[in-house]
Amino acid sequence: DGGITQSPKYLFRKEGQNVTLSCEQNLNHDAMYWYRQDPGQGLRLIYYSQIVNDFQKGDIAEGYSVSREKKESFPLTVTSAQKNPTAFYLCASKVTGLSNTEAFFGQGTRLTVV
Amino acid sequence: DQQVKQNSPSLSVQEGRISILNCDYTNSMFDYFLWYKKYPAEGPTFLISISSIKDKNEDGRFTVFLNKSAKHLSLHIVPSQPGDSAVYFCAATANAGGTSYGKLTFGQGTILTVHP
């Protein structure tokens, strides 16, 4: 079955730690995205990537980092510089960034700082 | 600056009746609009979309209407079913010119509850 897999589903982080959220897709999509959902604020774009070895900052990139070494994978690292990391994180992919097609989402990772 | 707004945080509808969810946008460069449905602790699933060259798109019980002059779109669900109860997000992107790279701008979401 083709799709996007995010892991883990739940993640707990101590203050000052970096954590990495995994996102893997087998849809052969070029474009991948990371969004963050907070209550009452919809989804906000953190980072996006159109092709391997290239990525761009979204609207709220501070405190986050990404890599795109393989087409299938787009991991997100939440660093200790992120002031309010507790949120629901969603990864998405799309055939290409330029087409009028929908983005497909993973099931999300709930990150909680303890 | 909230470029996509869903001004109704919640909507309650009786089963079998019509649900109308509204969305307003401010960016005139947006040329492709989408509706997603989301359950708690899950990723959004795509429902229906519309290009700015159209004013209506229909898919089964779901119809999206676009009024470009008013910068307004709406999602109609007829007839509404209890299984439609979820959060609905409106999203928009500006594909023309190739500068948006498919980035979606989302509204805040509307919680739809369909009562049996």
Side-chain angles (χ1 to χ4, degrees):
Chain A
D1 266 53
I4 302 179
T5 302
Q6 290 187 241
S7 60
K9 190 168 179 63
Y10 299 98
L11 187 58
F12 296 90
R13 189 194 93 171
K14 292 183 179 178
E15 295 272 1
Q17 277 185 339
N18 291 356
V19 289
T20 297
L21 283 60
S22 170
C23 178
E24 304 277 333
Q25 54 98 359
N26 59 4
L27 299 167
N28 200 32
H29 286 174
D30 285 322
M32 296 188 75
Y33 311 83
W34 273 105
Y35 291 88
R36 166 181 172 146
Q37 184 188 14
D38 294 284
Q41 292 196 46
L43 282 67
R44 294 182 292 167
L45 182 66
I46 305 172
Y47 265 97
Y48 61 102
S49 169
Q50 297 303 300
I51 55 174
V52 173
N53 293 323
D54 183 62
F55 47 83
Q56 305 294 330
K57 291 182 179 180
D59 301 319
I60 55 167
E62 186 175 352
Y64 299 98
S65 65
V66 293
S67 62
R68 188 85 187 275
E69 297 177 2
K70 299 187 300 182
K71 187 175 185 179
E72 303 80 15
S73 179
F74 191 40
L76 173 75
T77 297
V78 184
T79 75
S80 56
Q82 169 49 235
K83 301 302 180 195
N84 185 22
T86 294
F88 190 55
Y89 290 86
L90 287 158
C91 179
S93 72
K94 192 176 173 186
V95 173
T96 96
L98 300 177
S99 61
N100 275 357
T101 56
E102 69 270 25
F104 293 83
F105 283 83
Q107 291 299 292
T109 293
R110 168 75 60 186
L111 173 63
T112 304
V113 174
V114 295
Chain B
D1 177 29
Q2 190 76 29
Q3 296 187 62
V4 178
K5 293 182 181 179
Q6 294 176 255
N7 291 317
S8 297
S10 63
L11 175 68
S12 184
V13 171
Q14 204 70 28
E15 182 179 6
R17 305 293 291 268
I18 184 171
S19 295
I20 300 176
L21 296 100
N22 294 304
C23 179
D24 296 297
Y25 63 95
T26 57
N27 188 344
S28 57
M29 299 299 292
F30 286 148
D31 57 8
Y32 188 60
F33 304 87
L34 308 91
W35 284 94
Y36 282 86
K37 176 180 179 180
K38 186 181 181 301
Y39 295 113
E42 293 186 9
T45 54
F46 170 74
L47 269 179
I48 192 169
S49 63
I50 188 166
S51 166
S52 60
I53 62 173
K54 295 185 175 181
D55 55 18
K56 177 183 174 180
N57 189 26
E58 193 171 350
D59 183 2
R61 296 186 298 115
F62 302 92
T63 303
V64 56
F65 295 91
L66 176 62
N67 183 335
K68 280 195 299 181
S69 60
K71 293 190 175 67
H72 177 84
L73 66 155
S74 61
L75 174 68
H76 292 211
I77 306 174
V78 182
S80 300
Q81 300 173 353
D84 295 329
S85 298
V87 180
Y88 288 78
F89 287 100
C90 167
T93 188
N95 282 334
T99 58
S100 80
Y101 302 109
K103 295 181 292 181
L104 292 173
T105 301
F106 284 85
Q108 307 96 311
T110 297
I111 301 170
L112 173 65
T113 303
V114 180
H115 298 283

